[in-house]
Structure formats: C-alpha cells, structure tokens
Amino acid sequence: MTITIVGHGYVGLVSACCFADFGNEVYVIGHTPSKIERLKNGDPLIYEPGLKELLEKNIKANRLHFTLEYPEAVSKSEIVFITVGTPPKENGEADLEMVFDVGKQIAKNLKKKFTVISCKSTVPVGTNKQIEKILNENRPVGVEIAVASCPEFLREGSGLHDTFFADRVVIGSYSQKAINLLLELHEPITGKKVITDLASAELIKYASNSVLAMKISFANLISFYCEKAGGDVETVLDAVGFDKRIGRVFMDPGVGYGGSCFPKDVRALTSTGNLLGINTSLLQATEDINQEARMNFLNKIIKYSGGKTIGVWGLAFKPNTDDIRFAPSIDILHALLDKGYAVKVYDQEAFGNVKKIFGDKLIYSKDPYEAATGCDAIAILTDWNEFKHIDLDKIKSIMKKPVIIDGRNIYLPEVMKKLGFTYYSTGRVPVTQ
Ligand code: UGA
C-alpha cells in the first residue's frame, strides 16, 4: 500500500517507520527544509529508543521518503494520515489551525479516484466532521474521499513497542471502504480492532488519556493524605491495586505528570465539556492536584535542603525521551532560580531542550556525580534507570550534606536510612538521621 503521513513528530515518524517496516511505501510530508534534509539522512530529530535504526533501515530499503511537497506524495496514496500538533490555546482549547491547513493542502492535491484521509492528531469530538467539510470544499471534482479517525496511543520512550504491539487499534468512520483499507494497513499490528463512528473514536482518545491522568492525580492525592496523617503511599496503593477492578498501573505518585499529552488533553476535554454544558469538575480537579504535586515537591526542596545549592537529576517529563514539554522540571527550575538557588542539573537526553529555555542560568553537569558535588540536596524529577543503581556511597561523600528529595520514589527508605541519607520521598515517612 502507498500512504502519506503529514507531520513527523512522535506519532508521525514512529507510525511512518512502522508502516514502512511492514513493507508499505510511505511518504512523510514536513514543512521545514532543514528538518526534511536531516530526516532524509536518517536523523529522527527526536530521541526515541530504536527509532533511528528503524528509520535508517527503511530509508535504505527505499520504502520511506521525506518531502516538502504534497503533490508527489498525496496523489499516489490510498491513505493520507494527518499527524500534526494540536497545541493548547490560552483557554485550554486545542488549536486546530494546523490540522485544518493540512486538510486543505491534502484536498487540493488529491488525484486518486478514492483516498482515505485519517486523522491521528488528537482532536476534539466533532473535528473530523469539520475536516471532511474542508476536504469536500477543496478537493478536485471527480475524486472521492472518506474521512476516518484513527487515534494513536503510543507513549514516548516506548513508541515502537506500543505501535507494533498495540492494545487496540481504533478506527472511526462512516465509510466501509475506508474501514477495510485501514484494517488492511493495520493487519500486522496486534491488539483488539475497535470499529466505530467518528465521534466515538475522537472521544476514546481523550477518555483514555484523561483516565490515566486521573489515576496519577488520585495517587498523588492519597500521597498528600499519607504525608499529613502518616501512612505509606506505596503500601496503600499496592493494596488498592490488588483489586483487579482497580489495578496498580499508572498510580505512581510523585512530582506529577507532564509531557505534550496529558496536560493538554485533560484541559482540552475540560474545554469541550464546558462548551457542551457538562460538569467537568473531575477533570479540573485532576489538573489542580497535578499542579499541587509540583508545588508540594518544590516546598520540600525549600524546607529541607538547608542551603542554596541544589542538584537536579532528571529534566525530561519521563525517562527515555528528551522531551521537556510541560515537564515538572520547568516549573521547579524557574521557581528555584527565582528564589536565588544555584542549580546544577543532569539529564542524559534533555539538555538540548532545557538550554533553549534556561540558557546559562543553570549549571550543566556531565553526569549525576558532577551534579551532586558540593550540593546541599539532590532533587530527583525523572526516574531514569541510571539513578536507580547509582553508587550512593560515593554520592554521599561528594555532597555538602547527604539530603535527597525524591519526586519519583526510586529508593527504599530503609536502605537510605542505612546509608546515612536524609531522604524525603512522596507519601512515605521521611528518613532523618
Ligand atoms: C501518554 C499516554 O500514555 C499514551 O497512551 C498516549 O498515546 C500519549 O500520551 C499521547 O496522547 O500521545 P506519554 O505522554 O508519552 O503517553 O507518557 P506516559 O508514559 O503516559 O507518562 C505521562 C506522564 O505521566 C509522565 O510525566 C510520567 O512521569 C507521568 N506518570 C505516569 C506518573 O507521574 N505516574 C504514573 O504512574 C505514570
């Protein structure tokens, strides 16, 4: 099959590489010449484990093409995917300008008798109907189109695995012809195939992300109770999670969720709900608790560091990515700098993005040890594996005072006690010496 993917962010590029790897001919359209050149040369532009290798492999096999031009790609494709960003506006609404612009460009360049246009960007319920209208207004006479919503559920950091071994593939469309083509394309992908209407497919995406964000905020809410009233949040949540109806996944408390999806999607669903006259207080509370988790962590640094030099381990919004969009680290670093702290930072992937925001206001360290040297406290913001088995004896010996404030609960309190650390984690009894 020949397909086009407009956009080469996480969703676009991972999908393109996976579909090409199944043997399809895949065109990827971008709009920045320098980025398209880099992609053609096998540079994925983002850090995603395994992506560079898959990209290089499929470029070499001549199945994956990058271009700035719509005509050469769209005119040959049976399916065209829209995977451009839908960033939040000031009021939380998703900004759909890019999606609609792309829709227009696709429409003008359609040549095949029948083409499926499928939106993988996360868009509010009703958007695909608007895309269909734009396509119909701008398409050449005589070509037929069908619109389909095919939301994407991959996580950054495990994007390839999540695409190849998806839990489900959701296809929303009123056209059986479109559904059949999309089923054929997704055939090698594991997981349940959910065939539904456009509105349901659009809502499935927001409902999935919002319920995951709610689970995280609920875990954080319980951690606040544990901190105020005594109790161990990990024991509480483990026991709660043994109930199969609830489960334990996505209930890790800490510094809260970040990234380009949960914060934006919870706000966008709230905004859609407000427009529809629905009570959205559950979603609002999810967002408020997430913000409180960040502030709670910041207050611990201020209260317990006992000095003004802080080492920060982990800046990306989660491990295995260089992405810092809406990351807890951004709020926390800004607040620490405003309060006059000297901040030594370390992250194995995110420096490039962090430097764009903070420039030389931070002290960049080549490894976690350098970031810890001479510090009054270390604050852990991302649960990168390399922090889990670090030489804590060495860390203790190079710090001014052995204080660790852990926003990801990566160490056991009893181990930290034995090692002689003062250790404040989330929702667990503090360790003091
Ligand atoms: C999320 C969803 O998990 C994907 O299914 C979805 O496709 C994607 O958004 C999207 O809409 O594109 P992602 O944002 O890449 O994926 O990352 P997650 O692994 O979901 O983590 C999001 C945030 O929640 C991270 O900051 C992570 O540290 C935090 N988190 C996660 C917790 O604080 N606690 C947890 O228990 C789990």
Side-chain angles (χ1 to χ4, degrees):
M1 205 178 279
T2 302
I3 66 169
T4 288
I5 294 185
V6 187
H8 47 68
Y10 283 93
V11 171
L13 194 57
V14 169
S15 306
C17 289
C18 292
F19 287 135
D21 210 52
F22 292 143
N24 299 290
E25 190 82 16
V26 181
Y27 289 85
V28 177
I29 301 180
H31 69 265
T32 312
S34 59
K35 289 187 179 173
I36 289 295
E37 267 324 295
R38 283 168 65 189
L39 286 161
K40 278 182 182 169
N41 290 317
D43 172 359
L45 308 174
I46 45 171
Y47 174 72
E48 181 67 30
L51 187 59
K52 188 170 170 52
E53 292 75 9
L54 204 63
L55 175 67
E56 283 169 348
K57 176 184 165 198
N58 284 285
I59 292 174
K60 218 166 154 194
N62 205 25
R63 287 192 293 260
L64 190 51
H65 318 279
F66 294 92
T67 177
L68 295 160
E69 307 298 332
Y70 280 75
E72 66 158 311
V74 171
S75 60
K76 291 182 199 150
S77 296
E78 282 131 292
I79 304 173
V80 180
F81 287 103
I82 301 175
T83 71
V84 293
T86 51
K89 293 188 197 168
E90 274 294 300
N91 63 0
E93 242 176 74
D95 187 342
L96 299 172
E97 204 183 316
M98 262 192 287
V99 170
F100 294 148
D101 273 359
V102 165
K104 223 180 263 173
Q105 292 302 322
I106 294 170
K108 287 184 188 156
N109 290 288
L110 290 165
K111 277 224 170 74
K112 273 197 171 297
K113 257 184 99 174
F114 177 71
T115 314
V116 177
I117 291 87
S118 175
C119 189
K120 269 191 182 291
S121 303
T122 302
V123 292
V125 59
T127 306
N128 274 280
K129 280 232 164 108
Q130 288 173 270
I131 297 174
E132 186 174 32
K133 188 165 172 271
I134 289 172
L135 288 164
N136 280 327
E137 283 167 359
N138 293 279
R139 73 182 155 87
V141 191
V143 305
E144 218 193 300
I145 56 128
V147 168
S149 165
C150 237
E152 180 52 59
F153 302 98
L154 65 83
R155 287 163 298 176
E156 288 180 26
S158 54
L160 297 182
H161 176 272
D162 291 351
T163 306
F164 284 129
F165 306 103
D167 289 336
R168 77 294 213 191
V169 172
V170 174
I171 300 172
S173 183
Y174 296 110
S175 157
Q176 193 55 49
K177 227 161 129 185
I179 291 169
N180 292 345
L181 268 173
L182 284 161
L183 277 174
E184 192 187 324
L185 179 70
H186 288 87
E187 197 270 329
I189 295 176
T190 56
K192 282 235 180 292
K193 307 285 189 298
V194 180
I195 309 301
T196 183
D197 58 276
L198 281 177
S200 303
E202 291 166 332
L203 281 169
I204 287 167
K205 174 67 190 181
Y206 281 101
S208 301
N209 274 2
S210 297
V211 81
L212 290 169
M214 268 167 50
K215 283 187 91 172
I216 299 168
S217 279
F218 188 79
N220 281 325
L221 179 66
I222 297 301
S223 81
F224 302 157
Y225 279 88
C226 289
E227 286 180 7
K228 293 260 187 225
D232 180 274
V233 75
E234 300 293 345
T235 310
V236 173
L237 293 174
D238 283 349
V240 168
F242 288 139
D243 184 329
K244 289 195 187 65
R245 295 170 301 173
I246 302 169
R248 178 66 165 86
V249 283
F250 268 75
M251 289 218 290
D252 290 332
V255 73
Y257 60 77
S260 66
C261 305
F262 290 170
K264 154 179 94 69
D265 293 349
V266 171
R267 289 187 73 198
L269 190 61
T270 310
S271 163
T272 305
N274 291 339
L275 285 175
L276 296 172
I278 294 164
N279 180 345
T280 55
S281 52
L282 186 60
L283 298 169
Q284 191 56 55
T286 300
E287 195 186 333
D288 291 347
I289 293 168
N290 195 50
Q291 205 50 33
E292 252 172 74
R294 292 182 183 193
M295 290 308 112
N296 185 37
F297 186 74
L298 175 68
N299 290 336
K300 281 184 203 160
I301 302 177
I302 294 166
K303 201 161 163 193
Y304 302 121
S305 55
K308 286 255 166 173
T309 307
I310 307 292
V312 173
W313 285 358
L315 303 167
F317 82 98
K318 60 183 259 184
N320 299 322
T321 178
D322 61 354
D323 198 344
I324 57 161
R325 286 175 290 174
F326 297 96
S329 62
I330 300 178
D331 283 354
I332 287 164
L333 291 176
H334 275 306
L336 290 175
L337 290 172
D338 284 351
K339 291 181 191 307
Y341 284 82
V343 188
K344 300 178 76 177
V345 292
Y346 171 73
D347 186 288
Q348 64 189 66
E349 294 296 337
F351 273 173
N353 290 326
V354 171
K355 279 181 184 164
K356 284 183 205 153
I357 300 179
F358 292 95
D360 58 8
K361 290 187 187 136
L362 302 168
I363 304 156
Y364 298 93
S365 309
K366 71 172 188 310
D367 60 37
Y369 298 99
E370 191 175 292
T373 305
C375 284
D376 295 293
I378 290 168
I380 302 176
L381 293 181
T382 316
D383 41 343
W384 282 100
N385 271 339
E386 72 172 308
F387 305 142
K388 294 180 183 164
H389 292 288
I390 202 151
D391 182 346
L392 285 167
D393 281 324
K394 184 171 167 190
I395 292 294
K396 190 179 158 202
S397 71
I398 56 182
M399 293 182 72
K400 204 188 283 174
K401 283 176 280 132
V403 179
I404 294 186
I405 300 153
D406 183 355
R408 298 291 180 183
N409 282 3
I410 63 179
Y411 303 123
L412 291 172
E414 54 272 28
V415 172
M416 299 308 271
K417 176 90 188 166
K418 253 195 220 148
L419 289 171
F421 277 91
T422 298
Y423 179 59
Y424 290 92
S425 52
T426 304
R428 300 188 293 185
V429 177
V431 171
T432 48
Q433 297 297 329

